[in-house]
Amino acid sequence: MQETNISAKNFEQCQKCSLCETVCPVMANNPKYAGPKRSGPDGERYRLKNGIFFEDSLKYCLNCKRCEVACPSGVRIADLIQQARIDYGRKAPKLRDMMLASTDQMGPLAGAFAPIVNFSLGLAPVKGLMHATIGVDKHRTLPKYSSETFVHWYKKHAEAAQDAYKKQISYFHGCYANYNYPQLGKDFVAVMNAFGIGVQLIPEERCCGVAKIANGMIAAATRDAKINIEAFLRSVKEGREVVTVSTTCTLTLIEEYPELLKVDNSEVRDHISLVEQYLYKGIASGELKPVWKDGFKARAAYHCPCHQERLGWGIFTTELLKMIPGMELIELESNCCGIAGTYGFKKENYKVSQAIGKPLFDNIAAVAPDYVACECETCKWQIEMSTGVPVKNPVSILAEALDLEKTAAANRK
Amino acid sequence: MPVNHDFDVIIIGGGITGAGTARDCAMRGLKVLLIERSDIATGATGRNHGLLHSGARYAVKDSESAEECIRENKILRRIAANCVEVTGGLFITLPEDADSGFGLDYQATFLEACNKAGIEARAISPREAIQMEPSVNPTLIGAVVVPDGSVDPFRLCSANVTDAVLHGAKVLVYTEFLDFIREGDTILGVKVRDSRTGETAEYRAPVTVNAAGIWGHGVAAKAGVKIGMYPAKGALLVFGHRVNNVVINRCRKSADGDILVPGDSVTVIGTTSTKVPFEECDHMEVTPDEVKLLLREGCALCPSLASTRILRAYAGVRPLVADDSDPTGRSISRGIVCLDHETRDGIKGFVSITGGKLMTYRLMAELATDAVCRKLGVNKTCTTAETPLPGSMDGRIESVSKRFEGKPSAGQKGAAGRQGDMVGKIRFDTDADKQLVCECENVTLAEIKYAVRELGVSNLEDLRRRTRVGMGTCQGTLCIRRAAKALAEALGKPEMAEKLAADYLDERWKGMRAVGWGDTLREMEFMQRVYKFEKPYSYDEV
Ligand SMILES: Cc1cc2nc3c(=O)[nH]c(=O)nc-3n(C[C@H](O)[C@H](O)[C@H](O)COP(=O)(O)OP(=O)(O)OC[C@H]3O[C@@H](n4cnc5c(N)ncnc54)[C@H](O)[C@@H]3O)c2cc1C
Ligand code: SF4
Ligand code: SF4
């Protein structure tokens, strides 16, 4: 007799309990969106019958994965939706989507002209132009591109010193740390080095592909995924775990590669960790010895990004931050910020995106912290733009709170 | 008691045979009364496999049936486009078939027989077969492609009834035949009872047609006529979604559980064949042994069935007839049986039409109508082979969907798939009308209102047959109260809602119980939690 019931992405395991609908941030704010149940498992049944049942409204899904966290039946709802968009939404991506999606190609281009690009992106007339011509919402502050990439800085200032460390890891920096916010990468290197760990880059590193997947550029995403996984495999074989700083990149590397791109990552997935998880485990086991600065004081509100909720690793971040003497950590109620990668940048999504984030913004305003602690770069854009409260990556907070020299001395022995 | 003389012909039984006969008679200008004791399509017509045979299954043993099938297959594709799906079919040969004498030699015999019967059949390589239908058992050693398809029995039956009414026929559902009115050897009409109110009535016509399926045995007996019927039960399992898009058969002697048919949003494996007593025909239940057998054989066709969720199990009774020429009654004909009881038994004004198949209903109706016309002295030719059915004038869902302004919603596409070109009659006036009542099957409030208004619905089972409401994964758990409320209001009896829902859930529960494990068991738990069944079921019961 039947031992188990299984189906692609578990769509048939759906009991129709509708729990997922109660947590979907888009459904609550956009009447055009049919919600996770109908777009996911319900829709899948009818799409299998006839592709004509594919609904355009699937594009409103943020891929925040909150539905998957809530589902008691293990249905990979958001994956079903992304897969359907890949399989049935055959329309060619717009130029705008391609620009927003190619974070690795736009990065180098924009980076070379960063001061000009940043300057012109900030001016009202140009913003208006983008709204009209390529559909990037004019209310958006676009992510700034930095003039010196992280990789460039690393080669100049850090690379030479790394081999001296006994322990080594491979750092998957992601596009954001490289092009938009190299300080995050610099903080990462500083913290790792203080703990006696050498940081190696992955020469073949490609964009994780999340934005390409969201915007339907599947072939390109798959090509990059294969290159990344092969590079990770070499690193792991040489004894270096892969450490990341971006929740979304990590979820993509671990979950979306096999599920959506059909790229097998089974040999490396257990060797990929987020920096917070990596450090927490090291410190908790006594292997890494932090020495904290005297007199550090901060009041931080922790916002758990959706993809961190899905990974289930938020606890590592909060426990790590709570170790810092002088840190008052307030955990914000779980709520999507509304940006979801490139989603909130699109003109048609701006209003919904802001409505989704509103409870979070209100909550942050009520708590009035010194800053928000959050691992995700796109949440950072959204929260800073919408609340004016600065957002810091936990790694950067550690870099501030640790006495780096004393920590280095403690870990040298 | 009211007596009514207004008809040329009375037809007993609202299955596909009765519906088709009513349409044909009405199209030939006769005044028709159709009576059905329950809802239309509640006998074998509502409980079969829905295979649009190419005839290949019969080609080797019964070339006459095979030729009949392929002719009707082609006709139905033309006249019932919205009720059939031209999926194509595969007859696969497995390694174990070769061991039992049905290897590739048999495939060659099979191919030849198909081609002789006029069935386009073509052998393909195992690799091509897997490409064509990825779910097929990959160990196959050979495959033949044939023009099989699937047919939605309810839609087909309903379209025939609708067209009969459009041609002036009167249709009385929930009206049970009790006895004949007769004078000597002549049948003058029927006595009936409204099964909802208990009221009785009489109707008269010069000819009465017995199209009561397996129950035709009893109907004939009332006229003092014996038809040697053979009730053959067949059980089937419904899987939660479309596992295959091409019909899969085994290329060997016909056996239990050797056909997998994709129909609407599900896949169905069938069937078994067991003789049952007449008393059981009204209460079919699927046994655990039947479930096991169907699963085992199903997995040989399509291994992924081993882990696919089963929604429910059901069974029907084939109205088979023993050959008149065989006094032992053992030799069973699968062919069409049209009996003029005047020439056969000396009873005037009485015709029986039975046997056959769902997909040969049109031919059966033609034969029965020819017999009726002969008796009435009417000289009109049959046109049903050329005239499309309502709902099927405008092709299938793809073309019908284009009729909506702007982009059709999921509910509108769902309706287009089910109601075909009749979808124009569904009124999506308000926002509430566009809302889905049943989310599994994309049924809107508007479609429910349409069904009540135009398709004669009096309970949720009737509504289910016309719209698929509550037939999806949750088997009504989520939607049935909404549907009950909408139906009760549309019927103008809002106080009935509660009872309508309870009756419906009872029926679904029965079908789920036979396959109550895994996800279906979880669904049952959920259903129970939501509706708090008075008597909690125990695990040994399922
Ligand atoms: C398990 C199974 C699988 C099958 N698979 C297929 C298939 O894949 N393809 C195919 O073409 N065929 C298939 N068939 C055959 C097909 O279902 C039948 O041949 C066909 O439905 C018979 O239709 P009918 O109208 O003659 O009988 P029915 O559908 O049984 O109709 C008889 C009607 O008469 C009514 N009635 C009975 N007594 C009275 C009364 N006293 N007063 C008023 N009304 C009364 C009943 O309620 C019933 O609705 C299958 C049959 C079974 C059982
Ligand atoms: S991924 Fe997020 S936006 Fe998409 S359906 Fe799930 S909860 Fe809604
Ligand atoms: S939460 Fe899971 S089981 Fe419940 S309706 Fe949503 S997908 Fe289905």
Side-chain angles (χ1 to χ4, degrees):
Chain A
M1 209 50 101
Q2 293 190 315
E3 307 248 313
T4 45
N5 290 160
I6 46 170
S7 58
K9 303 194 181 15
N10 275 358
F11 83 90
E12 211 183 44
Q13 275 53 64
C14 171
Q15 306 291 140
K16 313 296 166 196
C17 69
S18 308
L19 254 178
C20 51
E21 298 191 337
T22 65
V23 300
C24 173
V26 181
M27 201 176 173
N29 290 290
N30 183 354
K32 286 195 206 135
Y33 186 51
K37 171 175 160 294
R38 277 178 51 204
S39 307
D42 287 359
E44 188 65 9
R45 250 181 111 232
Y46 263 68
R47 290 189 290 266
L48 283 175
K49 164 181 142 124
N50 189 329
I52 198 172
F53 284 95
F54 173 75
E55 296 281 302
D56 259 1
S57 68
L58 264 60
K59 68 170 180 238
Y60 296 119
C61 168
L62 291 168
N63 199 20
C64 70
K65 313 250 185 227
R66 286 184 172 262
C67 47
E68 293 187 1
V69 176
C71 175
S73 309
V75 180
R76 304 184 67 122
I77 310 161
D79 283 350
L80 275 167
I81 296 171
Q82 308 322 309
Q83 186 78 55
R85 293 181 57 195
I86 294 171
D87 292 348
Y88 301 95
R90 277 192 219 288
K91 270 181 254 147
K94 291 188 210 160
L95 173 65
R96 186 267 328 260
D97 293 349
M98 278 161 63
M99 282 173 68
L100 286 173
S102 298
T103 45
D104 47 353
Q105 283 163 31
M106 282 305 286
L109 269 181
F113 304 99
I116 308 169
V117 173
N118 286 339
F119 175 71
S120 59
L121 288 178
L123 280 178
V126 181
K127 274 203 216 164
L129 192 72
M130 287 191 102
H131 189 71
T133 54
I134 57 174
V136 172
D137 193 88
K138 65 179 168 214
H139 297 99
R140 281 275 162 227
T141 321
L142 279 158
K144 292 197 167 65
Y145 285 102
S146 176
S147 54
E148 185 185 36
T149 66
F150 165 71
V151 174
H152 197 242
W153 170 87
Y154 173 89
K155 295 226 161 109
K156 244 181 23 211
H157 303 288
E159 190 167 28
Q162 299 306 315
D163 288 348
Y165 296 95
K166 211 157 83 216
K167 206 164 173 200
Q168 298 284 335
I169 55 107
S170 290
Y171 174 38
F172 184 89
H173 48 72
C175 298
Y176 175 73
N178 192 27
Y179 298 116
N180 303 96
Y181 199 55
Q183 188 56 40
L184 175 56
K186 294 178 196 169
D187 290 342
F188 178 88
V189 175
V191 170
M192 285 296 174
N193 286 173
F195 281 117
I197 302 165
V199 175
Q200 303 293 340
L201 299 191
I202 301 165
E204 302 86 347
E205 176 176 329
R206 293 295 155 93
C207 169
C208 71
V210 67
K212 292 198 178 88
I213 296 172
N215 291 293
M217 298 154 71
I218 298 307
T222 309
R223 207 175 45 232
D224 290 351
K226 286 189 180 144
I227 295 173
N228 279 334
I229 294 299
E230 273 169 33
F232 292 178
L233 202 58
R234 270 195 297 280
S235 165
V236 171
K237 283 202 181 124
E238 287 164 14
R240 291 189 308 278
E241 297 281 296
V242 178
V243 183
T244 61
V245 286
S246 153
T247 46
T248 297
C249 295
T250 311
L251 186 71
T252 308
L253 300 172
I254 292 182
E255 299 284 347
E256 313 287 57
Y257 276 14
E259 208 46 60
L260 293 178
L261 301 180
K262 316 282 182 272
V263 172
D264 180 16
N265 65 359
S266 54
E267 284 187 80
V268 295
R269 60 181 289 163
D270 293 341
H271 299 280
I272 302 171
S273 43
L274 262 171
V275 58
E276 292 82 7
Q277 178 193 28
Y278 184 85
L279 291 178
Y280 173 79
K281 285 185 177 166
I283 296 171
S285 69
E287 206 176 310
L288 305 180
K289 300 174 206 64
V291 181
W292 306 103
K293 268 187 198 150
D294 282 337
F296 176 87
K297 264 218 148 346
R299 191 162 178 276
Y302 174 64
H303 164 63
C304 185
C306 296
H307 290 168
Q308 182 73 295
E309 294 267 9
R310 176 68 174 80
L311 285 165
W313 294 347
I315 183 103
F316 294 119
T317 304
T318 53
E319 290 307 298
L320 184 64
L321 291 175
K322 282 185 204 160
M323 287 175 178
I324 304 174
M327 164 65 77
E328 186 193 342
L329 189 73
I330 300 133
E331 291 181 44
L332 296 168
E333 197 175 321
S334 177
N335 191 95
C336 178
C337 73
I339 184 127
T342 58
Y343 179 93
F345 282 98
K346 298 175 187 173
K347 173 166 82 177
E348 66 268 27
N349 296 336
Y350 178 78
K351 271 207 190 113
V352 173
S353 162
Q354 290 301 303
I356 291 170
K358 183 148 192 313
L360 176 69
F361 309 147
D362 292 350
N363 200 354
I364 292 172
V367 170
D370 299 340
Y371 51 77
V372 171
C374 177
E375 305 91 328
C376 170
E377 54 274 34
T378 45
C379 296
K380 177 178 155 80
W381 291 330
Q382 173 84 338
I383 295 171
E384 289 186 340
M385 184 197 82
S386 311
T387 65
V389 178
V391 177
K392 286 193 185 179
N393 191 289
V395 177
S396 301
I397 299 174
L398 284 186
E400 275 174 29
L402 283 170
D403 187 322
L404 294 172
E405 274 168 31
K406 286 188 185 156
T407 303
N411 286 280
R412 212 168 291 138
K413 285 165 239 155
Chain B
M1 197 187 291
V3 181
N4 203 318
H5 299 273
D6 285 345
F7 301 101
D8 296 322
V9 57
I10 296 170
I11 297 159
I12 306 170
I16 189 64
T17 310
T21 307
R23 177 188 191 226
D24 199 342
C25 287
M27 280 172 64
R28 292 197 223 181
L30 304 184
K31 277 178 264 162
V32 178
L33 173 68
L34 176 70
I35 58 169
E36 161 58 50
R37 62 172 180 173
S38 173
D39 184 21
I40 59 166
T42 44
T45 303
R47 306 183 143 261
N48 64 63
H49 207 164
L51 172 63
L52 181 70
H53 286 278
S54 58
R57 189 176 174 79
Y58 308 108
V60 174
K61 291 217 71 172
D62 179 356
S63 61
E64 200 183 320
S65 285
E67 284 165 26
E68 213 168 80
C69 284
I70 188 63
R71 266 201 315 274
E72 292 301 311
N73 174 308
K74 287 180 180 163
I75 292 173
L76 288 187
R77 292 190 206 186
R78 268 202 317 272
I79 67 161
N82 190 55
C83 310
V84 306
E85 237 186 293
V86 186
T87 60
L90 284 175
F91 275 77
I92 62 166
T93 306
L94 295 176
E96 55 263 43
D97 296 332
D99 301 339
S100 55
F102 291 97
L104 295 178
D105 293 349
Y106 180 75
Q107 191 194 63
T109 315
F110 171 79
L111 262 172
E112 198 188 311
C114 284
N115 289 324
K116 220 159 143 194
I119 303 160
E120 280 168 53
R122 173 170 64 87
I124 57 172
S125 72
R127 226 191 58 226
E128 288 170 305
I130 294 168
Q131 249 164 18
M132 183 174 168
E133 178 45 63
S135 74
V136 75
N137 188 338
T139 69
L140 80 170
I141 55 171
V144 175
V145 190
V146 299
D148 277 349
S150 69
V151 47
D152 188 299
F154 180 79
R155 245 176 257 166
L156 188 64
C157 190
S158 175
N160 274 281
V161 170
T162 303
D163 208 25
V165 171
L166 288 174
H167 285 88
K170 186 176 173 72
V171 176
L172 296 175
V173 287
Y174 294 98
T175 300
E176 186 182 6
F177 161 85
L178 293 179
D179 208 343
F180 289 104
I181 310 166
R182 67 188 278 179
E183 211 174 75
D185 293 337
T186 307
I187 302 287
L188 299 177
V190 295
K191 295 186 189 132
V192 302
R193 177 173 55 206
D194 184 319
S195 36
R196 289 170 294 196
T197 63
E199 274 167 40
T200 55
E202 287 188 0
Y203 295 94
R204 288 178 189 242
V207 186
T208 299
V209 178
N210 170 14
I214 194 66
W215 300 272
H217 176 87
V219 170
K222 294 269 187 199
V225 172
K226 187 166 162 29
I227 309 177
M229 298 212 67
Y230 179 99
K233 173 190 176 189
L236 303 112
L237 302 180
V238 187
F239 291 87
H241 65 276
R242 286 279 275 249
V243 180
N244 54 328
N245 281 314
V246 172
V247 175
I248 313 178
N249 306 264
R250 280 288 270 283
C251 191
R252 59 171 190 195
K253 197 173 92 198
S254 300
D256 288 347
D258 62 353
I259 317 178
L260 191 67
V261 182
D264 216 293
S265 49
V266 298
T267 280
V268 182
I269 181 78
T271 148
T272 57
S273 185
T274 353
K275 182 166 184 186
V276 289
F278 281 102
E279 310 83 79
E280 271 181 34
C281 294
D282 283 328
H283 318 279
M284 279 294 127
E285 287 226 27
V286 179
T287 67
D289 283 343
E290 285 168 333
V291 173
K292 271 188 217 151
L293 185 150
L294 289 172
L295 252 183
R296 192 184 66 228
E297 293 303 317
C299 291
L301 295 171
C302 168
S304 63
L305 295 184
S307 56
T308 304
R309 177 171 175 175
I310 306 175
L311 281 189
R312 53 189 283 108
Y314 67 93
V317 188
R318 293 180 192 81
L320 301 185
V321 186
D323 205 326
D324 259 359
S325 60
D326 176 9
T328 66
R330 277 204 204 96
S331 147
I332 304 299
S333 151
R334 290 219 172 209
I336 298 167
V337 178
C338 181
L339 304 172
D340 181 337
H341 294 290
E342 184 171 356
T343 49
R344 180 178 181 261
D345 311 289
I347 304 290
K348 298 196 187 90
F350 186 37
V351 174
S352 284
I353 177 75
T354 189
K357 281 178 260 313
L358 171 74
M359 53 96 44
T360 56
Y361 88 94
R362 194 211 59 82
L363 179 60
M364 295 168 72
E366 179 176 347
L367 294 173
T369 307
D370 285 348
V372 171
C373 286
R374 257 195 321 274
K375 288 186 174 297
L376 293 172
V378 171
N379 191 6
K380 282 268 175 67
T381 44
C382 175
T383 55
T384 54
E386 295 84 42
T387 320
L389 286 157
S392 293
M393 320 255 181
D394 191 12
R396 295 183 44 79
I397 180 168
E398 291 79 4
S399 48
V400 176
S401 291
K402 296 209 180 91
R403 293 181 166 206
F404 295 104
E405 260 174 60
K407 272 192 197 141
S409 68
Q412 286 172 326
K413 284 184 275 193
R418 287 181 286 268
Q419 315 296 351
D421 51 53
M422 304 288 273
V423 85
K425 295 192 167 186
I426 303 180
R427 296 203 291 261
F428 294 98
D429 298 338
T430 66
D431 280 345
D433 288 337
K434 290 179 199 143
Q435 295 258 312
L436 290 183
V437 172
C438 171
E439 296 184 354
C440 293
E441 300 285 353
N442 293 318
V443 187
T444 54
L445 182 60
E447 190 176 349
I448 290 181
K449 285 186 183 165
Y450 158 77
V452 178
R453 202 169 58 233
E454 309 247 352
L455 304 177
V457 173
S458 53
N459 55 47
L460 284 171
E461 281 294 327
D462 297 358
L463 187 66
R464 170 183 76 76
R465 282 185 281 271
R466 285 152 184 81
T467 62
R468 289 189 76 80
V469 83
M471 279 177 94
T473 320
C474 77
Q475 293 282 295
T477 308
L478 207 68
C479 66
I480 216 59
R481 286 178 136 250
R482 284 195 293 241
K485 184 166 176 283
L487 173 59
E489 276 169 8
L491 290 172
K493 298 178 199 160
E495 71 288 352
M496 267 178 66
E498 210 57 21
K499 166 139 185 25
L500 288 173
D503 288 351
Y504 185 86
L505 288 174
D506 274 352
E507 184 56 36
R508 293 282 105 183
W509 189 253
K510 230 164 63 189
M512 293 166 87
R513 223 164 61 167
V515 291
W517 62 79
D519 286 312
T520 299
L521 182 59
R522 284 186 67 218
E523 196 73 65
M524 293 168 78
E525 289 265 14
F526 181 49
M527 191 189 252
Q528 217 197 164
R529 289 280 145 76
V530 174
Y531 294 102
K532 289 206 188 70
F533 281 78
E534 263 177 38
K535 173 177 151 288
Y537 72 96
S538 71
Y539 282 91
D540 347 316
E541 221 186 309
V542 294

